[in-house]
Amino acid sequence: MCGIFACHHHPEVISFKPKALQLAKLIRHRGPDWSGNFVKNKTIIAHERLAIVGLDSGAQPLTNEDDTLALGVNGEIYNHVVIRHQLGSSYKFKTQSDCEVIIPLYQKYDIDCPNHLDGMFAFVLYDAVKDRMIAARDPIGITSLYMGRASTCPGAVFFASEMKSLSEVCDDIMTFPPGHVYDSTSDQITRYFKPSWWDEDRIPSSPLDYMAIRTTLEAAVRKRLMAEVPYGVLLSGGLDSSLIASIAARETLKAQSIDVNGEALTGVDEKGNLSGAASWPRLHSYAVGLPGAPDLVAARKVAKFIGTVHHEHTFTLQEGLDALSDVIYHLETFDVTTIRASTPMYLLSRKIKAQGVKMVLSGEGSDEIFGGYLYFGAAPSKDDFHRETVLRVKNLHLADCLRANKSTCAWGLEARVPFLDKSFLELVMNIDPAEKMITKDRIEKYILRKAFDTTGEDTKPYLPDEILWRQKEQFSDGVGYSWIDCLKDTAEKFVSDEDFAKPKPEWGDDVPTTKEAYWYRCMFDEHFSSKTCADTVMRWIPKSDWGCAEDPSGRYVKSHLSAVDQ
């Protein structure tokens, strides 16, 4: 990942430049490898780079031959090799960066250019000839992006990878919506991503194809191994991360066996073959938890089974508590679920970066698209089940994607999420939801498990049966049940009954319903005091009509309790 900061139509852009560079420096943790900037007319683009592809030539902002187009990108474009071949000699590339293809795509397709990208990204592009800026974010919002305006600077529009770069200069900040593009010519944001499954009231009926699920997810993992630096996998021992790790281990071995020209571009070609990727001889996997945590035990079994070099990191309750304020600062949220799960991920990311790794694969998104959270077992009907999956996917950028992106980027580590691949989403979100429902005969995510069950096949198993069919644990539970208990107990000490009974007036109707939530909100306010910052946050609200417990922990779901009792 990288960090971008930009301002278009600043009346005093030259005198503003030193301030702009200071604001960009606030997100240098996202891109510690190099800093660059571009200034022309009344526009500035500043970039903090994390170099993963095009190491020697990919410094940003990227420009065309005559410097009339300037581009700042945070993300990875997995189909850049295919795009380059399609463009042929119509554009003269200056770098081997996967992101440079955005410039000729803009020249050819204008603001529809994001539709031609397969990847995770947030970008700003300035057209000096037209004095025009466009900005766009990937379809699901894997990569973070914010947009702001300032009453002290009318007519200007600001963009940044994280809110902290805008909070000092903007009094109007919004989360840039995923799958949208902004055009300064019209000063409008419009949706470009319009998949077949977007309307939650359109209930799909496509038949189930287990092999399609398997091969499409394998392809999604393969393209995300595009890297010229050492990479690894996050391995919690749950189904999702274990499957991704297993596939990645297989694909890494395949990539090592392909003899490619040293000048070959790093990426996936038209046939889906990966070339030029760097890796250690064996894939490295990483797990985190309190000593003796359920996830650590399961992750150890998976690592041994798939043959990774496994790294197990533990943290103490006090270390987790000590990190909370920093976690909230980096995440820019006060949502209880997100903070609980992000703290172990934040601590683990620092350990991973210290070992020289810049990119990891992660399992986010599976629970949303397959209805894997245990409360889905209470869905009244298949239609309700499907609507909830669509709504959960639409809100991923405010929850799990935000966690995965910012917990890792806090230490200059990039997380890639194969389950949110566009092709995989198109396939799975169109499956008849009756196939996904949790019943007495079908555990959550049954069809994903079955797709990778090789029983009766002449194929090496992907995972041990005890892992493939392991019940869902929320990540914040799996790292050790005492973690959540500790957070609740500590909140009781920090938040008095008197304070809890008198929420701050500036919170309006968004009042915390537990002392833990109240505590997090107070820490958030210490970093981001303005209401416009708080308005970018979405808190998890339990589906009371489905009988959801107030606490988001999976331990409080009846199906989890019954499984534990057995």
Side-chain angles (χ1 to χ4, degrees):
M1 283 296 170
C2 303
I4 54 177
F5 175 86
C7 180
H8 178 57
H9 269 193
H10 194 288
E12 304 291 340
V13 71
I14 299 301
S15 60
F16 176 66
K17 179 179 177 179
K19 184 63 177 179
L21 297 184
Q22 289 180 12
L23 296 171
K25 188 178 179 180
L26 292 175
I27 53 174
R28 186 162 294 168
H29 50 268
R30 298 180 67 90
D33 294 336
W34 195 250
S35 302
N37 67 84
F38 175 93
V39 181
K40 185 166 284 192
N41 300 328
K42 295 181 179 181
T43 296
I44 181 169
I45 300 174
H47 190 268
E48 305 293 338
R49 187 186 186 209
L50 180 67
I52 293 181
V53 176
L55 299 184
D56 297 330
S57 62
Q60 295 192 38
L62 299 163
T63 60
N64 63 344
E65 261 194 302
D66 61 3
D67 290 344
T68 56
L69 297 174
L71 173 71
V73 190
N74 169 200
E76 305 293 341
I77 310 302
Y78 304 124
N79 63 334
H80 80 107
V81 173
V82 175
I83 293 172
R84 284 174 181 257
H85 290 164
Q86 291 173 344
L87 292 169
S89 59
S90 63
Y91 179 82
K92 186 175 180 181
F93 286 92
K94 297 167 69 174
T95 76
Q96 289 191 316
S97 168
D98 53 297
C99 296
E100 191 179 357
V101 296
I102 295 172
I103 294 177
L105 286 179
Y106 164 74
Q107 291 176 317
K108 186 173 182 179
Y109 298 109
D110 202 72
I111 62 169
D112 193 45
C113 65
N115 253 328
H116 298 266
L117 301 174
D118 180 9
M120 56 178 187
F121 56 84
F123 73 79
V124 291
L125 184 149
Y126 178 61
D127 185 333
V129 174
K130 297 180 180 178
D131 190 25
R132 176 196 197 191
M133 175 167 276
I134 69 167
R137 191 177 181 189
D138 68 67
I140 304 302
I142 302 165
T143 305
S144 60
L145 183 64
Y146 294 83
M147 178 176 172
R149 299 182 190 272
S151 57
T152 57
C153 194
V157 58
F158 299 78
F159 300 91
S161 295
E162 295 184 9
M163 183 172 61
K164 57 182 63 67
S165 292
L166 300 180
S167 60
E168 185 179 341
V169 291
C170 296
D171 45 25
D172 181 7
I173 301 173
M174 61 174 282
T175 301
F176 195 94
H180 284 71
V181 59
Y182 167 81
D183 183 0
S184 67
T185 303
S186 62
D187 197 32
Q188 296 293 314
I189 300 175
T190 56
R191 169 166 290 283
Y192 70 82
F193 182 59
K194 301 174 182 177
S196 61
W197 50 267
W198 196 255
D199 178 5
E200 61 263 28
D201 291 324
R202 172 191 166 273
I203 310 302
S205 57
S206 297
L208 179 62
D209 185 336
Y210 288 122
M211 191 53 65
I213 292 175
R214 184 190 297 183
T215 57
T216 307
L217 186 58
E218 287 177 325
V221 171
R222 186 181 312 124
K223 69 177 73 168
R224 282 161 180 79
L225 299 182
M226 178 184 81
E228 297 169 13
V229 295
Y231 58 80
V233 290
L234 301 182
L235 181 57
S236 73
L239 173 68
D240 306 328
S241 66
S242 297
L243 272 180
I244 297 303
S246 177
I247 298 169
R250 295 175 181 225
E251 294 296 333
T252 295
L253 289 175
K254 289 180 185 177
Q256 291 171 347
S257 67
I258 299 175
D259 184 21
V260 297
N261 186 318
E263 300 299 318
L265 289 165
T266 301
V268 174
D269 61 21
E270 289 89 343
K271 297 180 180 179
N273 297 317
L274 176 68
S275 66
S279 69
W280 284 316
R282 288 168 62 196
L283 184 68
H284 287 235
S285 57
Y286 302 89
V288 66
L290 296 167
D295 278 359
L296 292 180
V297 176
R300 212 174 297 143
K301 294 177 182 177
V302 175
K304 183 177 181 181
F305 188 85
I306 66 176
T308 60
V309 178
H310 191 55
H311 306 270
E312 186 174 293
H313 298 288
T314 59
F315 69 100
T316 66
L317 293 174
Q318 190 58 53
E319 286 171 336
L321 293 174
D322 290 344
L324 278 176
S325 182
D326 286 344
V327 168
I328 290 171
Y329 172 73
H330 280 287
L331 261 66
E332 304 174 326
T333 187
F334 45 84
D335 175 59
V336 170
T337 310
T338 305
I339 293 167
R340 286 177 174 179
S342 294
T343 304
M345 196 172 190
Y346 171 87
L347 295 171
L348 177 61
S349 295
R350 189 174 192 179
K351 294 280 190 179
I352 295 173
K353 187 58 186 291
Q355 295 177 26
V357 171
K358 285 187 174 183
M359 184 272 283
V360 289
L361 300 189
S362 190
E364 276 73 24
S366 174
D367 287 312
E368 285 74 15
I369 64 178
F370 286 101
Y373 293 113
L374 297 182
Y375 79 87
F376 273 90
S381 68
K382 75 169 191 175
D383 290 10
D384 291 302
F385 187 103
H386 177 72
R387 291 189 188 98
E388 181 68 4
T389 61
V390 176
L391 291 174
R392 288 299 299 250
V393 171
K394 288 182 177 181
N395 284 327
L396 268 169
H397 68 291
L398 298 170
D400 284 17
C401 284
L402 180 148
R403 169 175 56 81
N405 180 273
K406 292 182 180 178
S407 295
T408 53
C409 283
W411 302 108
L413 180 68
E414 176 176 286
R416 299 180 182 177
V417 285
F419 280 112
L420 298 180
D421 180 81
K422 282 200 300 184
S423 296
F424 192 69
L425 282 168
E426 187 65 25
L427 171 70
V428 177
M429 296 301 287
N430 276 304
I431 294 173
D432 187 333
E435 300 284 3
K436 299 181 183 179
M437 293 189 72
I438 303 171
T439 68
K440 63 179 182 179
D441 300 316
R442 285 193 171 195
I443 191 173
E444 77 280 352
K445 292 181 286 194
Y446 174 87
I447 63 174
L448 175 62
R449 302 170 192 271
K450 192 65 177 175
F452 286 89
D453 186 343
T454 59
T455 302
E457 298 180 27
D458 186 19
T459 304
K460 180 183 176 182
Y462 286 81
L463 294 171
D465 279 352
E466 63 187 297
I467 300 297
L468 187 64
W469 298 99
R470 180 190 179 203
Q471 188 184 53
K472 168 71 180 174
E473 294 270 15
Q474 311 299 111
F475 180 58
S476 50
D477 287 332
V479 297
Y481 291 143
S482 56
W483 170 234
I484 291 176
D485 295 336
C486 175
L487 290 171
K488 290 181 174 181
D489 293 344
T490 307
E492 285 287 339
K493 298 175 183 177
F494 276 92
V495 181
S496 68
D497 292 340
E498 182 180 7
D499 286 339
F500 184 64
K502 297 178 181 179
K504 297 179 181 181
E506 59 266 29
W507 291 350
D509 295 332
D510 192 13
V511 178
T513 56
T514 66
K515 286 190 175 182
E516 185 184 3
Y518 190 105
W519 185 34
Y520 297 157
R521 179 62 196 267
C522 289
M523 281 191 271
F524 177 89
D525 288 351
E526 290 175 1
H527 298 298
F528 310 102
S529 58
S530 70
K531 185 178 184 302
T532 189
C533 292
D535 287 344
T536 66
V537 177
M538 182 194 76
R539 291 191 299 120
W540 186 82
I541 305 297
K543 288 187 72 65
S544 56
D545 56 331
W546 285 17
C548 288
E550 173 68 25
D551 194 290
S553 169
R555 282 183 292 166
Y556 296 96
V557 178
K558 291 180 180 178
S559 60
H560 185 272
L561 292 172
S562 62
V564 171
D565 292 340
Q566 292 172 5

